[in-house]
Amino acid sequence: MQQAMTRSILEVKGLNVTRNGTPVIENAAFTINRGDYVGIVGPNGGGKTTLLSAILGFLPHTAGSICLFGTELSKFSSWQKIAYISQQATNFEDQFPLTVRELVSLGCIKKGKLGRRFTPEDWAIVDENLDFMGLSDVANRRISQLSGGQKQRMFVAKALTHKPELILLDEPIVGVDSNAQEKFYKKLSDLNVERQITILIVTHDLTSVFCRMSKIMCINKTVEFAEITPNLDANMLLKRAYGKHFHFVYHQHNCEGVFVAEH
Amino acid sequence: MFNPFGYYFFQNAIAGGIIVAIVCGLVGLFLILKKEAMLGDGLSHTAFGGIALGLLLGVNPIVTALGVSILAVFAISYMRRKKIAPTDSAVAVMLALGFSTGLILISFAGGFNVDLFNYLFGSILTISTTDLLLVLGLSVFVLLFISFFRKELLSMVFCEEDARIMGIPTNKLTILFDLLIAVTIVLSIKVIGTILVVALLVIPGLCALKLDLSFKKTLLATILFSTTSTTIGIILSAIFNIVTAGFIVFILVTAFLLTLTYKKLE
């Protein structure tokens, strides 16, 4: 029991969420454990972003419960443990006067220590995370000059600077080419393994989910949640969300090929 | 030619002008980034009601204007938060209410002529030592706040949801920032007058933003644009005996056009 308490980072039970009176999420129930790398998939309008918004408390839920780090959402206050990168994050104003390094440094702002000056240690963490996300070369560029993939990595670097235990990432639908996207997932894998950060990512890239991630959440009003094992019947799961004509071709060796190319 | 530099009134004017220019430029930059530039304009017009009230009661109009601006900014904030009206409409309502109150008070008092003109268009060259001290005090308050919380403010104007998750109390910070705007508007009334405050708030930041600099350098460039324009405006107005506000705005707009040309040629 004690172990279950510490391992579970996010526990959702019987969750209903409505938007403008229309039910968007119905009776969702799942438990995310520390160290999970969860791919959230499902058709557009299926409720992926809505679910994240409910978890973060942006949207009220009509039934059920959400527990973050063992605390009921309404009483939860340790938000510094959570980083959220929204779908709109990369859609900032072009004229916004920030360099990449400046933006990432905003992750150093700490609750309870507002108004403090950043120390050399803070800047060292900023530079380390820029380096980790492969952004050292563009650190002094303006944020608007980056490519879509670089912008994505920049927001992860900012999130990392905050030293989160859980990252929720709502992936932008457009603007990143598949090569950059694959590198991005690789980086997230590294974070997940090396820094033990729990990751929930909304994505459209099913192959990456099955290759890289430990669990899959399939959302279309209802939420299917499964551990990714060689025995998992992927199509059964996906058909429930995408419809019975959906067919996903996926072979374990595809992934091996991907991994080999990188080492 | 008339050399104004040897006169006390002129030194006071330059000192007051520069500090107000710094405050206006910095607060204005955040207002632009928050896309609420017209909030500044609305509040300064609302403050006109406060000025009329001060003149009527025989109280320092800066003090009454401050009270009215603070009330107005909280009213706008309340309407926005409770979704009674979007920001721009809420601003329009308060602007009209403040200005019409001013008109009624003026008619009631039978007009204040010269005094009123000074508040509408500024009168930095006749700033009294008391007013200068009042302006300095308020400026120090605003500058200290910005120097401590600029990162939190920046974080909030960049993405409010994200800032909130990071543990920044965005609601409280918004209230404080609103208060800052009200204070800034009121202290700039002496320099540039209620009608043209918005120019000193918005144009320096806009010029700086056009240069595509880092945040740090954008802050410095904003200060440079606002203080230079204000200083030149005050000097020219003393020499040619023409309303200061007119010159300051004219120079600000010229600076903006030059910046645009520079960006085109670059």
Side-chain angles (χ1 to χ4, degrees):
Chain A
M1 186 64 204
Q2 188 58 40
Q3 210 194 347
M5 289 278 288
T6 50
R7 259 173 64 82
S8 116
I9 272 186
L10 169 63
E11 229 182 311
V12 171
K13 284 179 195 159
L15 183 75
N16 286 0
V17 186
T18 56
R19 255 188 170 157
N20 304 324
T22 317
V24 183
I25 296 288
E26 272 184 351
N27 201 20
F30 55 87
T31 302
I32 309 287
N33 291 325
R34 192 175 295 275
D36 280 349
Y37 185 4
V38 185
I40 303 176
V41 299
N44 287 332
K48 304 185 292 291
T49 303
T50 300
L51 179 67
L52 290 192
S53 301
I55 292 169
L56 290 162
F58 295 156
L59 268 181
H61 48 274
T62 45
S65 71
I66 299 172
C67 266
L68 284 163
F69 297 90
T71 308
E72 166 63 29
L73 181 66
S74 57
K75 295 186 188 101
F76 182 73
S77 61
S78 311
W79 290 104
Q80 72 281 359
K81 289 183 181 171
I82 300 174
Y84 168 58
I85 301 163
S86 80
Q87 211 168 15
Q88 284 87 34
T90 49
N91 289 342
F92 48 80
E93 282 281 308
D94 266 359
Q95 63 154 9
F96 216 94
L98 277 172
T99 64
V100 176
R101 193 164 179 261
E102 281 175 329
L103 178 90
V104 172
S105 79
L106 292 180
C108 294
I109 295 173
K110 284 195 189 86
K111 190 188 175 187
K113 286 188 178 176
L114 301 175
R116 75 187 179 94
R117 285 181 69 89
F118 291 166
T119 61
E121 290 77 41
D122 289 323
W123 287 108
I125 292 167
V126 169
D127 290 333
E128 185 198 320
N129 287 321
L130 283 170
D131 185 51
F132 185 85
M133 295 310 292
L135 294 167
S136 294
D137 295 342
V138 293
N140 291 318
R141 292 232 188 117
R142 293 251 303 190
I143 53 174
S144 54
Q145 294 174 313
L146 300 190
S147 69
Q150 287 171 323
K151 282 178 186 168
Q152 225 176 15
R153 281 185 276 142
M154 169 177 79
F155 283 105
V156 175
K158 174 173 179 264
L160 289 178
T161 304
H162 212 54
K163 295 181 185 150
E165 293 176 38
L166 169 66
I167 295 181
L168 305 177
L169 208 155
D170 201 345
E171 181 189 73
I173 301 165
V174 288
V176 182
D177 65 85
S178 59
N179 192 22
Q181 204 58 14
E182 173 49 31
K183 272 192 199 160
F184 183 65
Y185 293 128
K186 169 76 173 72
K187 270 291 163 207
L188 292 181
S189 292
D190 292 347
L191 277 178
N192 180 245
V193 174
E194 289 170 24
R195 301 197 189 182
Q196 280 296 301
I197 296 174
T198 310
I199 299 171
L200 265 72
I201 177 171
V202 171
T203 176
H204 290 262
D205 187 343
L206 289 168
T207 308
S208 287
V209 173
F210 284 98
C211 287
R212 297 218 171 268
M213 303 181 193
S214 63
K215 291 184 178 168
I216 180 167
M217 196 181 289
C218 203
I219 303 180
N220 191 3
K221 213 175 198 182
T222 56
V223 175
E224 308 281 342
F225 186 55
E227 190 156 352
I228 297 172
T229 61
N231 301 325
L232 176 69
D233 186 345
N235 274 304
M236 248 247 307
L237 188 80
L238 294 169
K239 273 179 182 165
R240 274 187 223 145
Y242 287 94
K244 61 180 191 287
H245 298 295
F246 187 85
H247 189 65
F248 172 58
V249 184
Y250 150 77
H251 300 291
Q252 195 72 37
H253 65 258
N254 287 353
C255 299
E256 280 161 7
V258 174
F259 280 110
V260 167
E262 277 164 10
H263 287 289
Chain B
M1 197 166 69
F2 170 61
N3 175 11
F5 282 92
Y7 295 86
Y8 266 125
F9 80 88
F10 185 75
Q11 290 162 3
N12 277 352
I14 293 282
I18 286 178
I19 190 140
V20 166
I22 295 173
V23 172
C24 265
L26 291 180
V27 170
L29 180 65
F30 284 104
L31 265 182
I32 299 171
L33 295 177
K34 221 169 165 245
K35 297 203 174 80
E36 285 182 354
M38 288 320 280
L39 178 61
D41 191 49
L43 277 183
S44 61
H45 285 71
T46 314
F48 173 75
I51 288 161
L53 185 68
L55 290 172
L56 183 71
L57 299 176
V59 186
N60 188 337
I62 292 196
V63 177
T64 44
L66 186 61
V68 169
S69 301
I70 291 173
L71 278 181
V73 80
F74 286 154
I76 291 164
S77 203
Y78 180 82
M79 285 194 255
R80 176 177 52 197
R81 206 168 51 245
K82 297 281 174 191
K83 297 200 162 57
I84 296 168
T87 307
D88 52 352
S89 308
V91 167
V93 171
M94 291 317 291
L95 182 156
L97 178 65
F99 214 84
S100 56
T101 310
L103 283 179
I104 292 170
L105 293 177
I106 292 165
S107 311
F108 185 67
F112 306 112
N113 48 57
V114 180
D115 265 359
L116 193 68
F117 189 82
N118 284 346
Y119 287 102
L120 281 176
F121 302 106
S123 60
I124 186 70
L125 289 170
T126 61
I127 191 168
S128 67
T129 312
T130 322
D131 281 349
L132 186 64
L133 288 176
L134 198 59
V135 164
L136 279 177
L138 292 174
S139 300
V140 168
F141 165 72
V142 177
L143 290 178
L144 278 179
F145 185 89
I146 290 183
S147 71
F148 275 110
F149 296 109
R150 63 183 186 282
K151 295 187 184 88
E152 286 78 1
L153 276 174
L154 182 63
S155 210
M156 186 173 78
V157 296
F158 188 74
C159 178
E160 192 165 338
E161 274 186 355
D162 194 40
R164 195 163 57 226
I165 297 174
M166 281 180 50
I168 298 173
T170 49
N171 289 335
K172 281 183 204 154
L173 196 60
T174 304
I175 291 174
L176 283 170
F177 184 64
D178 286 345
L179 195 66
L180 229 56
I181 302 165
V183 171
T184 305
I185 300 288
V186 171
L187 62 86
S188 47
I189 287 174
K190 264 283 162 187
V191 177
I192 199 163
T194 54
I195 307 286
L196 292 170
V197 167
V198 72
L200 197 53
L201 272 175
V202 172
I203 301 177
L206 211 52
C207 292
L209 283 175
K210 287 286 160 214
L211 297 176
D212 293 332
L213 302 167
S214 68
F215 183 62
K216 211 172 166 182
K217 286 181 184 161
T218 304
L219 287 180
L220 293 174
T222 304
I223 293 175
L224 198 69
F225 277 114
S226 66
T227 51
T228 315
S229 308
T230 308
T231 312
I232 296 175
I234 293 172
I235 294 172
L236 289 181
S237 97
I239 293 172
F240 296 108
N241 194 22
I242 285 176
V243 182
T244 319
F247 264 130
I248 295 178
V249 174
F250 197 76
I251 291 162
L252 281 169
V253 174
T254 311
F256 184 56
L257 291 176
L258 286 176
T259 318
L260 289 181
T261 318
Y262 168 75
K263 278 314 276 185
K264 274 260 154 64
L265 294 176
E266 200 187 40

